[in-house]
Amino acid sequence: MNVFDFAMQMETDAETLYRKLAKDSQVPGIMKIFTDLADDEQRHWQIFRALKQQQPPGATADSQALENAKNIFRELIARKEELPSTISNLESYRYALKLEAEGVQLYRDAAKRESSDSVKMLLLSIAEEEEKHFNIVENIFNFINAPNQYLAWAEFSDLGEFQAFGRETDQ
């Protein structure tokens, strides 16, 4: 399997996951974020298909997913919207984080080995978009997981202290 086939499979897997997360989401804003991410992954797949077929990849517009996600998070926080039980998707979010991190590494490694400057720049551009996707999904994960991280005890001043409570540390 060459790098383009592998990349196309990764993009297909990510798109499928994001479409499922969008469908499963009960929060319209989060549904929109996952739909935007899925659309980006589909666009990446088309780029890799063109490269595999040794055709120019066509116009590569920058992703608007990060800007859209920022706006959606602002709205969710401003409305103090209670999230329905989306906690069940936390493992899916962790898997999405893993996929994005692997994508960033794959595309950066492929760019290092690429001899064509234009393909190298394209790979680095997609790696950068995947890194933005990682940040978006990480923010969704942290936003939804926040109730699990709530500190009810005033004696703990930060989460690190809370997580280390009762454990031996080298500090």
Side-chain angles (χ1 to χ4, degrees):
M1 180 179 280
N2 70 29
V3 70
F4 297 130
D5 288 332
F6 190 75
M8 289 167 63
Q9 186 60 52
M10 285 185 66
E11 298 300 332
T12 298
D13 292 347
E15 179 188 1
T16 300
L17 176 63
Y18 290 140
R19 298 232 186 262
K20 179 191 178 313
L21 290 172
K23 182 178 151 243
D24 292 348
S25 179
Q26 298 170 8
V27 179
I30 292 180
M31 181 186 307
K32 169 75 171 124
I33 291 171
F34 283 126
T35 300
D36 288 349
L37 292 173
D39 292 345
D40 280 356
E41 301 300 354
Q42 181 183 35
R43 187 173 47 81
H44 294 168
W45 182 89
Q46 291 169 344
I47 290 169
F48 287 119
R49 183 185 65 186
L51 290 172
K52 180 181 176 185
Q53 296 172 347
Q54 299 179 343
Q55 298 173 352
T60 58
D62 287 339
S63 171
Q64 295 301 308
L66 182 59
E67 197 57 41
N68 292 343
K70 286 179 188 177
N71 295 334
I72 289 167
F73 276 118
R74 279 189 206 111
E75 290 174 21
L76 289 173
I77 291 169
R79 288 186 294 167
K80 295 182 169 84
E81 181 175 341
E82 271 190 49
L83 293 175
S85 89
T86 54
I87 300 298
S88 63
N89 283 335
L90 287 178
E91 284 307 311
S92 296
Y93 300 156
R94 282 189 183 103
Y95 181 69
L97 288 169
K98 179 180 177 286
L99 276 180
E100 294 298 349
E102 287 174 356
V104 169
Q105 193 61 48
L106 172 74
Y107 303 141
R108 286 188 178 152
D109 289 347
K112 287 178 189 174
R113 294 188 304 271
E114 183 57 48
S115 59
S116 165
D117 286 341
S118 62
V119 173
K120 183 181 290 196
M121 294 304 293
L122 184 62
L123 288 168
L124 290 174
S125 173
I126 292 174
E128 191 175 304
E129 280 192 17
E130 297 294 358
E131 195 166 356
K132 288 176 186 175
H133 292 176
F134 179 91
N135 292 332
I136 292 168
V137 175
E138 183 178 47
N139 284 327
I140 292 171
F141 176 85
N142 290 337
F143 184 73
I144 290 175
N145 195 42
N148 294 333
Q149 302 297 319
Y150 175 72
L151 296 178
W153 302 323
E155 65 200 67
F156 292 110
S157 60
D158 67 29
L159 193 56
E161 185 179 348
F162 172 72
Q163 290 171 336
F165 181 73
R167 295 181 178 89
E168 295 294 325
T169 60
D170 294 335
Q171 297 177 4

